[in-house]
Amino acid sequence: MTPLRTLILAAGLAAPLLAHADWLVGVAGPFTGQYASAGDQIKKGAEAAAADINAKGGVLGQKIKLEYGDDACDPKQAVAVANALVNKKVQFVHGHWCSSSTIPASDIYNDADILMATVSTNPQVTERGLKNLFRIMGRDDQQGSVIGQWIATKFKDKKVAVLDDKSAYGKGLADEIAKAMSAAGKEPALRESLTAGEKDYSGIVTRLKNAGVDVLAYGGYHTEVALLLRQSDQVGLPLVIVGGDTMTNSELVSAAGQLADRVYFTFTPDPRKNPQAAPIVERFRAAQIEPEGYVLYAYAALQLFEQAVTQAGGVERAKLEPVLRKGTFDTAIGTLEFDEKGDLKKPAFAIYKWTGGRYDYAE
């Protein structure tokens, strides 16, 4: 039993999962590597949800067992994970996290008639005509538009650069931000890219400083943001950074310290403040787990599975897909309804700011 499971049980979140579960649900994401903290959030949410559902008798009288697949946010590894989960005969998947992993993996699940819920935000996730995908948060063209318009208003008198990490998620988001800024009459002072995973971004920081940039709109993950904050501060550049949904990770604060207070980002309306989720949030916190970022999204993905299978009377694609396509599902992150592409009918994004180690809505 993992330490996390022990914590969950000690806090009374639910009874332990049975060793011989009937429903096999795959959970895929970056459980190792530089984005492992996001994978940890996903695992916490999925474990708690499966335990809670099983404590109530499971789904149609059968228990849920989770099968994890670590893709480390690498597309090739994601394909291997997807094939492994198919071979293990999972019946539903929550994953992947990085869009660059979700896109190739989803083709494999689709061929195997396995439905999936994902938080990956690149528009191409649902623009390829696959019918097995259900995205439980908004898209980058939506949050990019929110960021770009907000920057054009909030920082109308500041120089703003747009930077991405060359990933499917990061470049896609940065392109949408730049497009929205331009449409609002605010042209980026610079448009650059970096290579994720490097440790020295002094070259980019120097270009930002020489161009007189005050604000950086960033498409990418929290790991590089911490480095950019520290290295810009070292050269006397008090850079403000505006990013997307991956900035919810408290690892950013651990790595950047007080400099994280310069970070704004978009995320969906905070699910921790959803009255429907209050008992779940309370139990997480009693277990010393803060349900930030993607914790409640993973929890909601399992709730989606539970409700859809119950309504469909089974997990077969022919039964389950129409229910997911047309149904309404009450979850920890709110009410979910999907369009024909598998996107949310009512997506929403808000602007947040890190302050003193916590994030909340920006003023």
Side-chain angles (χ1 to χ4, degrees):
M1 181 177 293
T2 64
L4 169 63
R5 185 72 57 80
T6 303
L7 272 175
I8 290 174
L9 299 180
L13 274 172
L17 302 182
L18 296 187
H20 302 291
D22 295 302
W23 300 120
L24 192 59
V25 175
V27 181
F31 301 120
T32 61
Q34 64 177 332
Y35 307 128
S37 55
D40 184 57
Q41 291 180 351
I42 293 166
K43 185 175 287 188
K44 287 173 179 175
E47 280 202 352
D52 280 353
I53 292 167
N54 286 346
K56 295 184 295 182
V59 183
L60 299 179
Q62 299 175 204
K63 304 292 184 177
I64 292 175
K65 180 182 177 183
L66 302 178
E67 185 69 44
Y68 293 102
D70 176 20
D71 65 21
C73 273
D74 177 83
K76 292 181 180 178
Q77 194 164 322
V79 169
V81 164
N83 282 313
L85 291 177
V86 169
N87 290 336
K88 291 176 180 177
K89 302 188 183 305
V90 300
Q91 295 153 306
F92 187 79
V93 171
H94 174 48
H96 295 219
W97 187 65
C98 288
S99 295
S100 55
S101 291
T102 298
I103 290 170
S106 59
D107 288 311
I108 293 166
Y109 300 130
N110 186 59
D111 290 344
D113 287 328
I114 297 170
L115 303 184
M116 58 188 294
T118 186
V119 294
S120 294
T121 51
N122 187 286
Q124 285 304 308
V125 169
T126 51
E127 288 291 342
R128 294 166 299 133
L130 300 186
K131 298 299 184 182
N132 67 319
L133 277 159
F134 295 88
R135 191 192 327 244
I136 59 175
M137 73 182 310
R139 299 162 39 131
D140 287 336
D141 46 358
Q142 295 158 349
Q143 72 170 327
S145 177
V146 170
I147 295 171
Q149 292 178 45
W150 182 79
I151 284 174
T153 301
K154 175 76 172 178
F155 301 111
K156 62 181 179 181
D157 297 323
K158 303 291 185 181
K159 281 194 174 183
V160 182
V162 179
L163 178 68
D164 71 74
D165 67 353
K166 303 178 186 176
S167 70
Y169 163 72
K171 186 177 186 305
L173 177 59
D175 286 346
E176 294 295 340
I177 293 171
K179 183 169 69 175
M181 284 176 57
S182 296
K186 181 76 174 175
E187 292 299 329
L190 286 176
R191 178 69 176 91
E192 298 261 359
S193 297
L194 57 72
T195 300
E198 293 185 350
K199 301 301 180 186
D200 183 3
Y201 295 118
S202 58
I204 288 173
V205 168
T206 298
R207 290 196 293 277
L208 294 174
K209 185 177 182 180
N210 290 343
V213 169
D214 306 292
V215 179
L216 177 64
Y218 183 65
Y221 298 90
H222 67 276
T223 43
E224 282 68 42
V225 167
L227 289 170
L228 288 166
L229 285 168
R230 292 204 310 268
Q231 291 172 21
S232 62
D233 190 64
Q234 288 168 2
V235 298
L237 176 60
L239 196 64
V240 172
I241 296 182
V242 186
D245 54 291
T246 61
M247 299 301 129
T248 56
N249 201 307
S250 59
E251 193 175 79
L252 171 62
V253 177
S254 300
Q258 292 182 345
L259 295 176
D261 288 1
R262 296 179 185 169
V263 176
Y264 294 87
F265 63 92
T266 44
F267 196 54
T268 57
D270 194 341
R272 296 174 298 182
K273 298 184 178 183
N274 174 17
Q276 197 168 321
I280 300 166
V281 171
E282 183 178 340
R283 294 200 298 275
F284 272 115
R285 287 174 173 164
Q288 303 300 307
I289 299 168
E290 181 57 36
E292 64 184 0
Y294 300 93
V295 174
L296 291 176
Y297 280 83
Y299 194 102
L302 270 291
Q303 289 180 305
L304 178 66
F305 173 78
E306 173 197 20
Q307 294 172 36
V309 171
T310 299
Q311 292 178 33
V315 78
E316 297 83 2
R317 181 170 182 170
K319 294 180 179 179
L320 194 57
E321 184 183 322
V323 170
L324 284 166
R325 191 78 55 197
K326 298 178 181 179
T328 300
F329 309 95
D330 293 320
T331 75
I333 59 173
T335 300
L336 304 180
E337 294 180 279
F338 302 98
D339 62 19
E340 284 302 308
K341 292 180 180 178
D343 287 319
L344 288 176
K345 286 185 176 181
K346 298 178 181 179
F349 285 99
I351 303 290
Y352 292 82
K353 185 181 185 298
W354 279 102
T355 305
R358 296 184 179 183
Y359 66 79
D360 205 341
Y361 296 122
E363 295 180 358

